[in-house]
Amino acid sequence: MLKGIVDRGKISEETLLNREAQIEKEALDRFLKESSKRDRENVTMTASDDMLIARKRVINKKDSLAMERILGQNDLVPILYLQKGFEVGKSVCRITIRNKVGNVIGSGTGFMIGNGIIMTNNHVIPDIDTAMCAIAEFNYQNDENFMPCQIYYYKMNPKKFFITDKSLDFTIIAIKKELSNGKSYEDFGYIKLIPEEGKVMEGEYVSIIQHPKGGPKSVTLRENKVKHIFDDYLHYMTDTEPGSSGSPVFNDQWIVVGLHHSGVPNPDSKGEWIANEGIRISSIANFIGKEYSNLNSDGKKIVGEIFPDLKIKDLNDDQKNDYKDDDTSDDIPTNVRTGYNPNFLGKDFKVDLPKLNEKMEKDVSRMKDGNYVLDYVHFSIVMCKSRGLAYFTAVNIDGENLVKIKRSDDDWRFDTRINIENQYGNEVYNKNDLDRGHLVRRNDPNWGEHAYQANEDTFHFTNSAPQHKDLNQKIWLGLEDYILKNADKMNIKVSVFTGPVFKEDDMIYRKKFKIPADFWKVVTVVKDNGTLSATAYIQTQENMIDDLEFAYGAYETYQVPVRKIEELTGLDFGDLSKYDPIANVEFSGLRITDENDIRL
């Protein structure tokens, strides 16, 4: 829920009518003002090259007539246009508004934009009290024989998710998962939203799937010409009736370009309309992006599913200046954040943090006291100042006392004990195939009394690195599982070091971010025969990051000697090579395809 935006109130039929009348007046004022402005400035609906480029981005290349339709040179559409319209129409529902005793006092239209997530107008569902008495009705339409279809009813679930804004006249709300006549809301699918501008141009034709006057589902098809696109609004000449508020406005590719919210009344003839007005989806997306930080972790996850390419408003320069070196990331006591313990494996098996070379020490992010080891719960991190990423992370894993914690917090945050300008933030991860790869896996430090704080600590940007989604989700994540499974079952303890390989020729992304091509891991464990084992691994994403917008490809994982990691990184792991089972094997690396390839 967005703080400070939702006002709980009472709804009545009179309130609904007054709100609609006010919206219609505001829509008329905007329409007349925009029309007058264009008449004065002699503005014509001519598409610029930039507009056409933006518009082409959402066109299927196989639709050979698409640009001719957009430019008004051809009205032909492929027959599948009707089939696609029928498919997206399944996600459109009627919304009935009821009073406390269950009587229907109003209706509107809504449409599913995610699994169990509906969009409609704020003036349809303005607050939580109204939502609690509203019903989403799917399949309220007639079949091919003009007979009523089976209707499926779902109650609203604003406690799970509820965002609204009066000025943009939108509400996004969850519905309850309970089956209706044996049918899940997932059976109706949902309409994917695109946050960017440029999905429709003036002069194009749009279609609207709606429940006019609260009646069965209907559609206005392609006779609806877009007249104005400005600020947060679309004006289009189309037939809609009361009850159509909250309907999706589609372009020729059945992509939602607007949220219908009002007719524009004819000032000279009561009961007639001169146009209709919708809210641009890009404006709603921008609003949510700016308010993202006010959402709880579950809300952020839902927004990520609705708008996977949403541009989240990151810290601006003024906010960044508010962070000083002597700030702490929170009020967690230092006796909780004890960091990595070198004696974790036992008094006879001390494993110290790797040492930085002289060049690295000059390029390390330091706290106010001069220390550069950032301690968290059960793990520590040392950051490279110039690269904005960790030189390495070090974590102790107590497999016997692990606490299973469900992932619910993707609220990545800066560690303000060091300068946040030297930490890669959200800017590097938006609109591409890069994951915020946990260097210390989220589950690994989650053991003992402070397991939940350990889980929270793993979501610092200091612990993230840009990793292609395919690299971040496969064999790399299984290495430690395998080590744990094969360690002494009575004393399952492991210490793990992880980090990127920094190279001078690493790809520069978005003109400022160097993306590591390789990542390494060193795992230390006491085997069941009472001896120490130190094994090292390296994985490359080099073939994946050549073109981050389109890259897909194979990745490779290798077990390598510990000394190879020292050569690649400049780190000194002390005498760990003595306990490396492949220290003296002469090969560049042992290719790992599954756990059976690993040598302890």
Side-chain angles (χ1 to χ4, degrees):
M1 187 187 304
L2 293 183
K3 299 176 182 178
I5 294 175
V6 179
D7 293 321
R8 297 169 68 90
K10 295 182 179 180
I11 192 72
S12 67
E13 189 170 3
E14 182 180 0
T15 302
L16 289 172
L17 292 173
N18 290 339
R19 174 75 173 123
E20 288 175 2
Q22 178 63 28
I23 290 172
E24 289 172 4
K25 181 181 182 301
E26 294 170 355
L28 174 60
D29 291 343
R30 282 189 290 265
F31 182 84
L32 295 177
K33 182 178 180 180
E34 187 66 18
S35 296
S36 176
K37 173 185 175 183
R38 295 179 183 226
D39 289 342
R40 289 195 311 270
E41 298 176 359
N42 195 27
V43 176
T44 59
M45 292 189 296
T46 302
S48 68
D49 289 342
D50 288 342
M51 291 178 183
L52 289 172
I53 291 172
R55 184 67 181 87
K56 286 179 180 179
R57 290 178 186 151
V58 293
I59 296 175
N60 191 311
K61 295 179 181 179
K62 296 180 181 179
D63 187 352
S64 59
L65 297 175
M67 285 309 299
E68 293 183 30
R69 289 198 303 276
I70 291 171
L71 298 174
Q73 300 169 353
N74 196 322
D75 285 332
L76 289 175
V77 293
I79 191 66
L80 64 84
Y81 174 81
L82 300 177
Q83 181 180 346
K84 290 185 68 174
F86 181 78
E87 288 299 315
V88 298
K90 294 178 181 178
S91 302
V92 179
C93 64
R94 180 174 75 160
I95 295 176
T96 55
I97 310 301
R98 301 163 188 263
N99 59 21
K100 296 295 184 181
V101 296
N103 296 325
V104 176
I105 60 173
S107 66
T109 303
F111 56 103
M112 200 101 77
I113 59 174
N115 276 324
I117 307 296
I118 285 177
M119 178 182 283
T120 187
N121 289 139
N122 167 273
H123 77 262
V124 174
I125 301 180
D127 50 52
I128 293 177
D129 282 349
T130 305
M132 296 300 290
C133 299
I135 301 292
E137 303 174 358
F138 287 86
N139 209 42
Y140 180 45
Q141 61 196 58
N142 295 328
D143 63 19
E144 60 270 23
N145 297 314
F146 298 96
M147 296 299 293
C149 295
Q150 171 71 59
I151 304 174
Y152 301 91
Y153 302 89
Y154 301 89
K155 293 181 179 180
M156 303 295 170
N157 189 9
K159 292 183 179 179
K160 178 180 179 181
F161 191 76
F162 186 87
I163 296 178
T164 192
D165 183 64
K166 186 175 181 180
S167 61
L168 289 178
D169 197 18
F170 82 90
T171 291
I172 301 176
I173 187 171
I175 59 177
K176 293 190 175 179
K177 195 174 179 63
E178 285 84 354
L179 296 180
S180 175
N181 296 314
K183 202 173 186 70
S184 168
Y185 58 57
E186 295 175 345
D187 294 328
F188 301 101
Y190 62 88
I191 302 169
K192 295 181 180 179
L193 299 183
I194 298 176
E196 290 83 8
E197 297 180 357
K199 298 182 288 293
V200 71
M201 299 194 309
E202 292 179 359
E204 273 195 82
Y205 290 87
V206 293
S207 300
I208 302 178
I209 301 178
Q210 57 192 300
H211 283 277
K213 294 183 178 178
K217 192 183 301 177
S218 301
V219 60
T220 58
L221 208 60
R222 291 206 80 248
E223 77 273 18
N224 321 306
K225 192 171 186 176
V226 177
K227 186 173 180 65
H228 302 150
I229 301 177
F230 68 103
D231 298 336
D232 300 320
Y233 304 98
L234 299 166
H235 287 148
Y236 38 92
M237 323 307 288
T238 184
D239 296 323
T240 55
E241 296 279 358
S244 299
S245 296
S247 302
V249 182
F250 297 95
N251 67 11
D252 260 356
Q253 287 72 48
W254 292 106
I255 294 170
V256 183
V257 300
L259 173 67
H260 176 74
H261 86 130
S262 178
V264 178
N266 187 337
D268 301 321
S269 182
K270 188 176 181 179
E272 294 184 3
W273 310 90
I274 56 177
N276 282 279
E277 185 176 78
I279 307 297
R280 298 170 71 180
I281 294 298
S282 55
S283 294
I284 295 173
N286 288 337
F287 175 90
I288 294 175
K290 292 176 182 178
E291 298 292 342
Y292 181 84
S293 61
N294 292 323
L295 291 167
N296 60 27
S297 58
D298 290 337
K300 289 176 180 177
K301 182 178 180 180
I302 290 173
V303 167
E305 293 170 353
I306 297 170
F307 289 113
D309 298 323
L310 181 65
K311 183 176 182 180
I312 304 301
K313 184 175 177 60
D314 209 338
L315 291 172
N316 57 38
D317 292 336
D318 292 336
Q319 290 173 305
K320 287 179 178 179
N321 291 334
D322 289 339
Y323 286 87
K324 307 300 181 183
D325 287 342
D326 58 348
D327 286 343
T328 55
S329 56
D330 46 44
D331 297 324
I332 306 302
T334 54
N335 65 344
V336 173
R337 284 196 172 129
T338 54
Y340 171 83
N341 178 6
N343 297 307
F344 183 70
L345 300 182
K347 62 180 181 179
D348 297 326
F349 303 102
K350 185 178 181 181
V351 180
D352 289 316
L353 293 175
K355 295 179 181 179
L356 307 180
N357 63 29
E358 184 177 351
K359 180 180 178 182
M360 297 165 78
E361 284 204 358
K362 292 179 180 179
D363 189 21
V364 69
S365 288
R366 297 177 183 270
M367 293 178 284
K368 186 178 180 180
D369 62 4
N371 185 20
Y372 57 72
V373 179
L374 299 170
D375 287 332
Y376 302 92
V377 180
H378 302 146
F379 67 97
S380 299
I381 296 176
V382 174
M383 292 289 291
C384 175
K385 186 176 182 179
S386 64
R387 292 296 297 261
L389 300 171
Y391 275 127
F392 67 84
T393 66
V395 61
N396 303 128
I397 309 171
D398 186 346
E400 198 170 35
N401 295 302
L402 284 174
V403 177
K404 291 185 178 180
I405 300 175
K406 183 178 180 181
R407 181 167 184 161
S408 61
D409 184 359
D410 277 353
D411 184 15
W412 287 87
R413 61 197 73 95
F414 292 101
D415 189 325
T416 55
R417 292 176 292 180
I418 60 174
N419 193 333
I420 65 173
E421 295 287 355
N422 303 126
Q423 303 172 51
Y424 279 11
N426 283 323
E427 190 178 354
V428 72
Y429 300 103
N430 290 330
K431 300 181 182 180
N432 53 37
D433 283 333
L434 290 176
D435 282 347
R436 298 171 186 83
H438 277 77
L439 293 176
V440 172
R441 291 195 317 168
R442 184 183 67 85
N443 294 322
D444 286 352
N446 300 349
W447 52 271
E449 180 182 359
H450 303 297
Y452 282 88
Q453 183 57 50
N455 179 74
E456 295 287 327
D457 279 0
T458 65
F459 285 93
H460 282 88
F461 281 120
T462 50
N463 187 43
S464 69
Q467 295 179 349
H468 193 281
K469 61 184 178 66
D470 289 342
L471 174 94
N472 190 29
Q473 298 168 5
K474 297 183 180 178
I475 290 179
W476 197 235
L477 296 182
L479 286 173
E480 290 153 35
D481 285 337
Y482 173 77
I483 300 296
L484 282 172
K485 187 172 68 175
N486 287 274
D488 184 352
K489 300 301 187 296
M490 298 303 294
N491 186 23
I492 308 174
K493 290 187 175 181
V494 183
S495 291
V496 179
F497 305 94
T498 307
V501 177
F502 295 144
K503 300 178 182 177
E504 290 297 325
D505 60 351
D506 279 336
M507 186 191 77
I508 298 177
Y509 182 52
R510 294 178 175 171
K511 299 181 180 180
K512 61 184 294 188
F513 302 107
K514 278 193 170 184
I515 307 297
D518 301 322
F519 292 88
W520 57 269
K521 192 181 294 290
V522 172
V523 179
T524 60
V525 62
V526 178
K527 296 188 293 184
D528 55 7
N529 64 3
T531 61
L532 185 68
S533 171
T535 53
Y537 310 89
I538 192 165
Q539 188 174 57
T540 180
Q541 62 177 356
E542 187 167 6
N543 293 334
M544 298 177 179
I545 62 174
D546 292 337
D547 186 342
L548 282 171
E549 308 304 330
F550 302 98
Y552 300 93
Y555 62 94
E556 300 289 344
T557 301
Y558 293 91
Q559 182 173 349
V560 298
V562 171
R563 68 172 184 274
K564 182 67 175 180
I565 304 301
E566 293 178 316
E567 293 171 5
L568 290 171
T569 64
L571 294 170
D572 181 357
F573 282 90
D575 61 356
L576 278 192
S577 286
K578 295 179 181 179
Y579 310 102
D580 183 355
I582 64 170
N584 300 314
V585 178
E586 294 299 327
F587 56 77
S588 58
L590 175 66
R591 186 167 180 262
I592 305 297
T593 58
D594 60 46
E595 61 186 36
N596 295 318
D597 294 329
I598 297 174
R599 298 187 189 180
L600 286 178

